[in-house]
Amino acid sequence: MIGFELIAQNLERNFKANKLHHGIIIAGKKGIGKANFAKEFCQKILQSNTQANADYRIVEKIDDKKSIGVDEIRKQSDFLNQTSAISEHKFLIIDSACELTLQASNSLLKTLEEPKKNNFLILITHNLSKIIPTIRSRCFIVKVPEFSFEQFVEILQQNKINNSEKEKLFLSQICDNCPALAIEFGLDLVRFYQLFLNSILNQKISEELLKKVSEKNSSFIIFEKILLHFFSQWLKSSNKIKVDFHFEEPEVFDFLSPKFSSAQILNLAQESLTSLEKTTISHLDKKLNLTNIFNQISYV
């Protein structure tokens, strides 16, 4: 996998030398393919399709749950204690380990403290500090380096995402070179960021924007990313920091700059992002929330 070549080489070499650690933490940004890499690594070691292999399990957070609970980890302890069915090795992937409850973490710790031969646990995390220290101390930690723009674009092309060069640069910036986000939401991020900028210039919020945010299955992460990027760009521009512009941002910021000081922009950004978070957590009216933020920006 792109970006994981050296990590794969090192882990495979350790496995062949019987030096692969029984507990491995793969840490890196969210959305760069850590779990996919772990699955491919297990598949290679087990020499079979992991989905059909009884010696392989993956634990993921259930969609409507906020965390991975202790009962789920106890089930996996039973799995690891059973004799291998096909291979002499067993693999358990937890994606992601930073979402384990404290009880679940302590249950997992017991497994790590008394590892069985040829059993391997791979813990995926995008926030290493949220994994309890006693688990971290019993694992070999692999830190995935940040992707370059070239690696980011190569992954997009592999997934048949063929944006213009300007759009690729924008997606690299707004997604922080995390391909999963760009693959899932790239078209919407480009389209709705441009609509948001044009709305400010026209001083009228786009009906297409409002319709999108009102859709039942619409992901609010699109608008969170758009606003976070917008305020970041605006603050940099306001403070004369060199910034790469990809769309109508210069015209928008020239239009807004007489109305806001840097301190006011920062306060507005903090209030807007806090409002977005409350709207998401409390399931408030997203359309109304976005309209209010837009009005605070446009009508001062």
Side-chain angles (χ1 to χ4, degrees):
M1 277 182 65
I2 295 168
F4 291 85
E5 295 88 351
L6 186 59
I7 294 171
Q9 290 174 17
N10 290 338
L11 291 180
E12 288 171 24
R13 182 172 61 247
N14 288 345
F15 175 78
K16 289 174 182 176
N18 292 319
K19 294 181 179 179
L20 187 66
H21 201 284
H22 68 277
I24 300 167
I25 294 175
I26 300 179
K29 282 183 181 178
K30 196 170 187 176
I32 59 173
K34 302 182 296 296
N36 285 339
F37 165 73
K39 292 171 190 176
E40 287 189 11
F41 174 72
C42 294
Q43 187 170 330
K44 189 168 185 178
I45 299 300
L46 294 171
Q47 297 182 333
S48 71
N49 183 340
T50 49
Q51 290 182 341
N53 195 306
D55 296 323
Y56 163 89
R57 288 269 185 94
I58 180 164
V59 176
E60 298 172 296
K61 184 180 69 175
I62 300 170
D63 287 341
D64 61 346
K65 300 289 185 181
K66 293 182 179 179
S67 56
I68 300 173
V70 65
D71 290 340
E72 188 58 43
I73 297 304
R74 284 172 179 159
K75 287 180 195 173
Q76 307 315 320
S77 297
D78 293 339
F79 157 73
L80 291 171
N81 286 326
Q82 294 167 3
T83 304
S84 300
I86 301 171
S87 168
E88 60 181 300
H89 310 288
K90 299 187 85 168
F91 283 91
L92 173 65
I93 297 174
I94 298 179
D95 181 23
S96 66
C98 50
E99 293 169 335
L100 292 167
T101 64
L102 182 57
Q103 270 189 308
S105 294
N106 287 329
S107 179
L108 181 66
L109 181 61
K110 293 177 183 177
T111 303
L112 287 166
E113 288 173 335
E114 301 172 1
K116 289 190 67 175
K117 185 180 179 182
N118 296 331
N119 278 1
F120 302 100
L121 277 73
I122 302 179
L123 313 182
I124 310 297
T125 183
H126 52 270
N127 192 338
L128 190 58
S129 65
K130 285 193 173 181
I131 297 179
I132 62 174
T134 43
I135 286 181
R136 295 202 303 265
S137 67
R138 285 165 175 78
C139 292
F140 175 68
I141 298 175
V142 176
K143 293 186 178 180
V144 184
E146 293 189 9
F147 284 5
S148 67
F149 172 69
E150 291 73 23
Q151 288 172 319
F152 173 80
V153 170
E154 189 177 351
I155 294 170
L156 294 193
Q157 289 172 340
Q158 279 188 353
N159 286 272
K160 305 190 186 316
I161 308 294
N162 297 310
N163 298 84
S164 68
E165 193 63 25
K166 179 173 70 173
E167 289 170 350
K168 287 173 186 172
L169 287 165
F170 165 72
L171 288 174
S172 167
Q173 197 172 28
I174 197 171
C175 298
D176 202 17
N177 279 341
C178 291
L181 195 62
I183 291 166
E184 186 171 2
F185 300 116
L187 291 175
D188 281 344
L189 285 168
V190 170
R191 174 64 179 163
F192 292 107
Y193 189 65
Q194 290 179 295
L195 283 175
F196 185 73
L197 295 175
N198 287 327
S199 294
I200 294 172
L201 290 174
N202 296 328
Q203 290 196 285
K204 182 181 179 182
I205 192 164
S206 161
E207 289 298 327
E208 187 179 346
L209 256 179
L210 293 177
K211 182 179 178 182
K212 179 66 178 178
V213 79
S214 300
E215 290 175 1
K216 186 176 180 180
N217 297 323
S218 175
S219 177
F220 211 41
I221 192 173
I222 296 167
F223 303 99
E224 290 172 341
K225 281 287 178 184
I226 283 172
L227 286 172
L228 185 61
H229 181 74
F230 173 79
F231 282 119
S232 174
Q233 295 285 87
W234 189 8
L235 276 167
K236 289 175 185 175
S237 175
S238 173
N239 287 286
K240 310 300 181 187
I241 297 171
K242 185 179 178 181
V243 60
D244 293 325
F245 295 127
H246 309 300
F247 303 116
E248 294 82 6
E249 289 162 314
E251 293 92 329
V252 170
F253 299 146
D254 285 344
F255 171 72
L256 293 175
S257 58
K259 305 177 182 182
F260 293 89
S261 66
S262 293
Q264 288 173 320
I265 297 169
L266 183 59
N267 286 337
L268 181 55
Q270 290 171 336
E271 289 171 5
S272 299
L273 294 171
T274 300
S275 174
L276 280 180
E277 186 178 5
K278 287 180 179 177
T279 298
T280 304
I281 293 171
S282 303
H283 305 289
L284 302 177
D285 189 324
K286 295 177 181 178
K287 179 178 175 180
L288 179 61
N289 183 241
L290 186 63
T291 301
N292 287 339
I293 292 171
F294 174 80
N295 289 340
Q296 286 181 294
I297 294 169
S298 298
Y299 302 117
V300 173

